[in-house]
Amino acid sequence: MKSSRRNFLKIAGVSAVGLSAKPVLDAFATADADEHAATATPEKASNKKALTGKRWALVINTHKLQTKEALEPIIEACNKLHNVPHIENERWEIKWIWGEEFKHAFPGKEDTFLPEHVKHNPFLVLCNHCENPPCVRACPTKATFQRDDGIVLMDFHRCIGCRFCMAACPYGSRSFNFRDPRQFITEQNPDFPTRSKGVVEKCNFCAERLAVGKQPACVEASGGALIFGNVDDPASEVRKVLNKNFTIRRKQGLGTGPMVFYIV
Amino acid sequence: MLELALQGSKRYYTWIAALLALIGVGFACYLYQFDFGLGITGMSRDVSWGFYIANFTFLVGVAAGGVMVVLPYYIHNYKAFGRITILGEFLAISAVTMCLLFIIVDLGQPIRALNVLLYPTPTSILFWDMIVLNGYLFLNIIVGWNVLQAERNGVPPQKWLKPLIYLSIPWAVGIHTVTAYLYCGLPGRGFWLTAILAPRFLASAFAAGPSFLILLCLLIRNITKFDPGREQIQSLAKIVTYAIILNVFFLLCEVFVAFYSNIPEHTDHLTYLFAGLHGKSALVPWMWTSMVLMAVAILLLIVPVTRQNETVLAVACVCVFLGTWIDKGMGMISGGFVPSPLHHVNEYMPTFPEILITIGVYGVGFLVLTALFKIATTVKEEVAA
Amino acid sequence: MNDKKKIITGLAIFLFLFTLPIWYNLVSATSAPEPELSAKAKAAKTCVRSKEYMVAEHMQLLDVWRDTVVRTGERTYTNPDGKQFNMSLSTGENSCIGCHVSKADFCDKCHNYASVNPYCWDCHIDPKEKK
C-alpha cells in the first residue's frame, strides 16, 4: 500500500513536470506554425512610404541649441507625441529626451578649462541606439531588441519589468514606470499608446514615424539643429555633416557604439 | 516524512504562527505594491534595484554556502560532516526559495514572469540565473530528501544520488558566480566592473552561509535532542574564519585598485559608501558598522581560545552574518547605482512597505527552513533512539 | 471504514460546491451578448478576415499583429483576398478602433460576459475615452 502510494506520487510528480513543460514546447511549435502561416496566405509587409536605412544616426548641433528654451520645443514635441508623462516626483520621472549639463552628459570629459558656454549649456541626451547595445544583451525576454536598421526598440507587451536593462545602460537613457503613467499625462495623443505600470521605456527613434516616411519628431521640431539619417550611406546628409564637423559621442570608450553624435 | 513537520510542541506552533503572521503582513503589502506599482518602494530612476535584489544577492550566497558542509564530506571524506550535510542542503533549499520570491516581488510585471521561458535569451545573465537557481533548488530537494529518507530507513542512499551530489558542488559555486555576472558584466557601472566580484561574492557566501549554519546548529542543540556535534561546529568555524578573511582581503584589493589607480569611475562609489559624496552619506554609518563587525569577527575567530568558546563563537557568527549582510545587502547594490552613470547622486533607502515585504519573504524562507529542519532533526532523533 | 457515510456526504457537498458555477449559470442563464457593429463596420461588410475567423481567432490575429508591427516593423496586412490593411489596434481611422468605433459595444460587451480582461487598453487609447 505504502510503496504503491509512493509510486503514484512519483508518477503524478513526473507528469506534473511534463505538463508544465508542455506550454513551452507548444510555444516553440506555434512559433514555427506562425512563421509558416506568415509565408502562406495572409501577408505582412512594410509600408511603401517607410524610410529605410541600414544604420540610423542622429547628429546634434549644439551650437544651435545654446539655451534651455531652445531645447524645450524639441523635448515637448517628443513628450506630446509619445504620451511621455510629466511626473513631479524625481524618483519616478520618465524621460525620453532631455537636457543635461556637459559634466553629466559627458562624465569623464568634464574639464575645468572648458569654455563657459560648454560648461553651462544644456545638452540633449536620449537613447544612443548603440551598435552594441548592452541593454539588449541583458534583457531576459528580448523585450528590448535591435532592429536590422540599428534601432534599439522596446516591446512593451513583453517587458516583465526586471530593470536589468536599466542597470546595463551606461547612459541612464531608460525609465521605469513606477506608477501607472496615465494620470500624469495632461493631454493624451490617441495615436500612440501610453505605457502601463511596471515596464521600462525609452526613446524609440520615432520608429512609428519612420514607418510612414516621416523624420523623427525631435528632428522636425529642431529647426535644423538635429540631423537624422542613414550613416551607412556616404551620400546621406548625416554623413556630410559628420565629414565637415568634429563630433564627439558619449562614453565611446565603453565600446557600445553610440549612434548620437554631438557637434560641440 | 512530511508529516513530521506537522507534529510539534506548543512552542513550535507558536513560532509557525508568528512566521505566518509576518508572511500575512508582507503579502498584504505586496498586494498594495501589485496594485500601486513599484512606486511604493524607495527605488528610483537612478537606483533601479534596491532592497529586494540586494537581499536576493545575499541569499544566493547563503544558499551557495551550504556546499561548505557537502564538499568536505563527499569529496574529502570528512566523516564528521555526515551528521550535518542535510542541514546545509535544507538551508540551501530555503535560501533559494527566498531568492526566487525576491525576484518575483521585484518584477514590475510579475504576471509575465514566464516570458523568460517563452522567449529564452541565452545572452541574458538573468536567464542563466533563473536556470542555475532552479537547478540548485531541485538538486538540493532531491538529494537532501532522499539521503534523509535513506537514513531514516536505515539503508544506504540510492546509488544514482552520487552523481547529483557531485554535480551540486560546482553548481553551488555556479549560482553565485552567475549572480555576480549579473553585475560585473555591465559597462558603465564602475563599482561592479571588476573581475574579482564573483570571487568576492563567493568568499562572503562561504562566510555568511556557514556562520548561519553554526548558529542553527547551536540552536538545534538547545531545543532538540539532536546534537550536531562540537567537532562539526568547530570545523565550520574554521571555514568561516578563512572565508571572512578572504572576503575582507578581496574588499581591500578593490580599495587598492580603485584608489591607487585613482580612476574616478571606480573611486566615486567607494567614496560614496565610506565617506559620502556631494553631501549625500546615508550609507556611511552602515558601511563602517559592517567593517567593524567583520573586523571584530575576524579577531574573535582567529584567536583559538575565543573561537573554541561556543558562546563567543556565536557572537562572532552574528557579527559575520550581519557584517556581510550590510556589505552585500545595503552597500553592494545601492553602491553600484550611486553615483548614477550621469554622475547624479541620488540616494536610496528602502521604504516601510518595502521592508515589510522583504520581511514577509524572509518569513516564507524561515517557514520552509523550520519545517525542513524539524523533519531533519526528528529523523536524527529517531535514528539515534 | 466506518466513516463511509460521512465521506460520501462530504464528497457530495464538495462536488456540489465545486461545480456550483455550472449550476448557477444553467439556472440564471443569460444568452451571450452579440457585439454591436458600428454603422461604419456594417457598411464595410467584412473585416480584415471573415466573420467566423475573426470571432474565433481575433486574439491570435491581434497577437501576431502586435508582434509583427513592433518587432519586424511590417505594418501592412494583405488578407487572402488581396485586400490591404494597416495593422493597428488604435491609430486613427485606419485601425481596428477606427472602424469598430465603440469599444464599449464591440469589445467590452463580450469580454465582460466571458469575464476576460485583455490588457490592450491599459496602454492603447480608446479615442472616445481620451483625456
Side-chain angles (χ1 to χ4, degrees):
Chain A
M1 175 73 194
K2 200 171 179 190
S3 77
S4 76
R5 185 175 67 190
R6 184 176 303 156
N7 279 333
F8 170 75
L9 288 174
K10 273 183 192 160
I11 293 166
V14 170
S15 357
V17 172
L19 281 177
S20 59
K22 196 172 171 285
V24 178
L25 296 176
D26 283 353
F28 284 117
T30 46
D32 275 352
D34 275 351
E35 262 159 44
H36 289 303
T39 51
T41 29
E43 274 175 26
K44 304 172 198 82
S46 321
N47 200 314
K48 294 221 170 59
K49 283 187 292 182
L51 297 185
T52 52
K54 274 180 108 175
R55 177 140 295 281
W56 295 117
L58 181 72
V59 180
I60 300 178
N61 186 345
T62 63
H63 298 300
K64 291 187 181 170
L65 299 168
Q66 300 266 4
T67 60
K68 209 173 160 238
E69 290 68 41
L71 303 191
E72 236 156 47
I74 299 172
I75 297 168
E76 258 320 286
C78 171
N79 288 354
K80 265 211 170 122
L81 183 70
H82 296 120
N83 288 318
V84 176
H86 178 72
I87 306 178
E88 293 291 341
N89 187 335
E90 231 178 64
R91 295 205 335 246
W92 302 335
E93 257 183 321
I94 307 282
K95 295 191 272 196
W96 283 34
I97 180 168
W98 72 101
E100 289 278 357
E101 277 186 20
F102 187 83
K103 65 177 178 194
H104 293 305
F106 298 91
K109 288 198 182 83
E110 56 177 312
D111 198 321
T112 325
F113 309 110
L114 283 173
E116 283 300 305
H117 72 272
V118 173
K119 263 193 206 166
H120 298 299
N121 287 352
F123 285 75
L124 271 182
V125 291
L126 66 158
C127 170
N128 279 292
H129 295 276
C130 301
E131 237 175 320
N132 304 304
C135 55
V136 170
R137 270 199 305 272
C139 179
T141 62
K142 302 191 188 84
T144 207
F145 60 98
Q146 192 178 32
R147 298 204 313 191
D148 290 341
D149 58 2
I151 294 184
V152 177
L153 216 55
M154 283 285 308
D155 185 343
F156 303 116
H157 306 113
R158 192 182 283 188
C159 175
I160 60 172
C162 71
R163 309 189 295 297
F164 200 3
C165 55
M166 296 179 77
C169 176
Y171 305 101
S173 296
R174 293 176 159 267
S175 310
F176 178 73
N177 286 280
F178 284 97
R179 306 273 319 259
D180 181 352
R182 283 232 172 147
Q183 53 195 305
F184 302 102
I185 304 169
T186 35
E187 206 189 326
Q188 289 178 352
N189 165 21
D191 286 345
F192 198 83
T194 63
R195 269 66 61 198
S196 62
K197 71 164 183 269
V199 300
V200 173
E201 63 180 89
K202 66 168 196 73
C203 156
N204 66 350
F205 252 7
C206 281
E208 84 284 4
R209 284 171 63 90
L210 299 179
V212 293
K214 292 183 192 162
Q215 289 264 315
C218 54
V219 176
E220 204 178 80
S222 73
L226 269 53
I227 305 111
F228 179 85
N230 179 8
V231 83
D232 249 21
D233 171 13
S236 67
E237 201 195 341
V238 262
R239 276 291 284 276
K240 284 181 200 153
V241 176
L242 287 174
N243 266 334
K244 263 189 245 150
N245 298 278
F246 173 74
T247 50
I248 57 173
R249 296 193 246 178
R250 296 172 68 199
K251 298 192 181 180
Q252 216 179 339
L254 297 179
T256 55
M259 279 296 123
V260 177
F261 299 77
Y262 296 81
I263 303 174
V264 184
Chain B
M1 288 189 293
L2 213 50
E3 74 277 5
L4 297 179
L6 297 174
Q7 302 148 358
S9 61
K10 215 169 174 189
R11 198 172 47 175
Y12 175 71
Y13 277 112
T14 315
W15 169 243
I16 298 280
L19 288 176
L20 286 174
L22 288 179
I23 296 169
V25 172
F27 188 70
C29 289
Y30 181 69
L31 289 180
Y32 173 47
Q33 175 185 299
F34 188 81
D35 181 57
F36 186 93
L38 281 162
I40 66 150
T41 68
M43 288 184 269
S44 63
R45 197 178 183 281
D46 278 354
V47 186
S48 47
W49 278 338
F51 216 45
Y52 300 146
I53 294 296
N55 278 292
F56 152 79
T57 309
F58 177 74
L59 288 167
V60 174
V62 174
V67 80
M68 281 289 116
V69 285
V70 176
L71 186 147
Y73 178 61
Y74 287 105
I75 306 264
H76 299 283
N77 202 20
Y78 178 59
K79 289 275 193 295
F81 273 178
R83 268 174 91 79
I84 56 168
T85 48
I86 188 68
L87 301 184
E89 284 153 355
F90 280 0
L91 174 62
I93 292 174
S94 65
V96 177
T97 307
M98 288 187 264
C99 292
L100 295 173
L101 282 175
F102 272 121
I103 294 285
I104 298 292
V105 298
D106 187 65
L107 291 181
Q109 287 282 349
I111 302 290
R112 301 182 191 162
L114 288 181
N115 277 1
V116 178
L117 293 175
L118 288 175
Y119 310 104
T121 313
T123 57
S124 173
I125 303 298
L126 204 58
F127 167 76
W128 291 108
D129 215 29
M130 186 255 328
I131 290 182
V132 290
L133 283 175
N134 281 297
Y136 194 62
L137 180 63
F138 286 114
L139 276 178
N140 275 292
I141 291 176
I142 294 168
V143 170
W145 196 262
N146 280 301
V147 170
L148 189 66
Q149 184 101 55
E151 190 176 337
R152 191 186 194 194
N153 297 342
V155 293
Q158 298 93 315
K159 281 221 175 73
W160 55 266
L161 283 172
K162 263 290 162 67
L164 293 185
I165 292 167
Y166 288 129
L167 178 64
S168 79
I169 292 168
W171 203 289
V173 178
I175 59 169
H176 219 17
T177 305
V178 174
T179 304
Y181 284 4
L182 285 175
Y183 308 105
C184 69
L186 306 177
R189 302 276 178 192
F191 187 55
W192 300 331
L193 192 70
T194 161
I196 213 175
L197 199 72
R200 193 176 150 200
F201 272 20
L202 284 165
S204 89
F206 295 154
S211 70
F212 191 57
L213 207 53
I214 291 177
L215 293 171
L216 287 173
C217 285
L218 293 171
L219 186 73
I220 286 172
R221 178 195 281 161
N222 273 322
I223 59 176
T224 74
K225 288 190 212 80
F226 169 62
D227 180 7
R230 186 176 158 79
E231 185 196 339
Q232 284 79 354
I233 290 175
Q234 283 303 317
S235 300
L236 277 175
K238 283 177 204 146
I239 291 172
V240 175
T241 311
Y242 278 112
I244 189 70
I245 291 173
L246 269 179
N247 184 43
V248 173
F249 169 66
F250 287 157
L251 173 65
L252 293 175
C253 289
E254 292 278 18
V255 172
F256 171 79
V257 170
F259 285 96
Y260 195 81
S261 72
N262 205 24
I263 298 173
E265 252 173 69
H266 294 265
T267 57
D268 282 345
H269 300 277
L270 285 166
T271 310
Y272 166 69
L273 287 175
F274 288 99
L277 197 67
H278 301 311
K280 306 273 178 80
S281 55
L283 286 178
V284 174
W286 288 96
M287 292 316 289
W288 285 109
T289 308
S290 162
M291 292 305 117
V292 170
L293 286 170
M294 289 200 275
V296 169
I298 289 177
L299 271 179
L300 295 179
L301 287 168
I302 262 185
V303 181
V305 191
T306 46
R307 185 179 66 237
Q308 283 155 13
N309 178 323
E310 282 184 351
T311 316
V312 182
L313 176 64
V315 173
C317 285
V318 171
C319 290
V320 168
F321 194 76
L322 288 181
T324 48
W325 180 81
I326 295 171
D327 178 31
K328 240 170 169 172
M330 303 284 293
M332 181 54 71
I333 304 307
S334 300
F337 283 109
V338 186
S340 77
L342 272 65
H343 270 246
H344 290 292
V345 184
N346 289 317
E347 295 192 283
Y348 163 81
M349 266 293 147
T351 60
F352 197 55
E354 192 177 6
I355 292 171
L356 289 178
I357 293 174
T358 305
I359 292 174
V361 173
Y362 271 96
V364 174
F366 274 86
L367 188 67
V368 173
L369 185 72
T370 307
L372 290 175
F373 270 40
K374 175 78 172 47
I375 294 170
T377 52
T378 315
V379 168
K380 298 278 186 185
E381 283 169 353
E382 267 178 23
V383 172
Chain C
M1 286 289 183
N2 301 326
D3 297 333
K4 209 174 184 179
K5 267 189 185 164
K6 280 185 198 163
I7 292 172
I8 290 175
T9 325
L11 271 178
I13 294 175
F14 170 75
L15 273 179
F16 174 72
L17 288 177
F18 193 74
T19 51
L20 191 61
I22 301 174
W23 310 125
Y24 179 80
N25 277 356
L26 278 180
V27 176
S28 70
T30 49
S31 56
E34 283 276 314
E36 223 168 89
L37 286 182
S38 66
K40 206 174 163 191
K42 272 184 195 155
K45 288 221 169 79
T46 149
C47 196
V48 297
R49 299 288 291 269
S50 71
K51 184 185 164 195
E52 292 69 35
Y53 181 89
M54 293 310 288
V55 167
E57 306 281 343
H58 65 280
M59 46 304 235
Q60 277 80 6
L61 181 110
L62 288 172
D63 186 45
V64 171
W65 274 25
R66 71 174 191 185
D67 265 4
T68 316
V69 169
V70 176
R71 304 189 73 86
T72 67
E74 292 167 346
R75 289 164 187 255
T76 308
Y77 181 79
T78 311
N79 74 7
D81 300 335
K83 269 186 92 179
Q84 294 199 330
F85 298 90
N86 178 34
M87 293 155 74
S88 169
L89 177 66
S90 63
T91 340
E93 292 289 295
N94 219 348
S95 69
C96 303
I97 202 79
C99 188
H100 301 290
V101 287
S102 173
K103 167 176 163 274
D105 289 339
F106 189 72
C107 311
D108 296 350
K109 246 183 171 179
C110 286
H111 289 165
N112 289 343
Y113 174 76
S115 189
V116 290
N117 290 303
Y119 53 77
C120 315
W121 306 100
D122 286 1
C123 297
H124 288 266
I125 297 170
D126 170 14
K128 280 198 173 162
E129 285 172 16
K130 170 187 175 257
K131 265 205 296 186

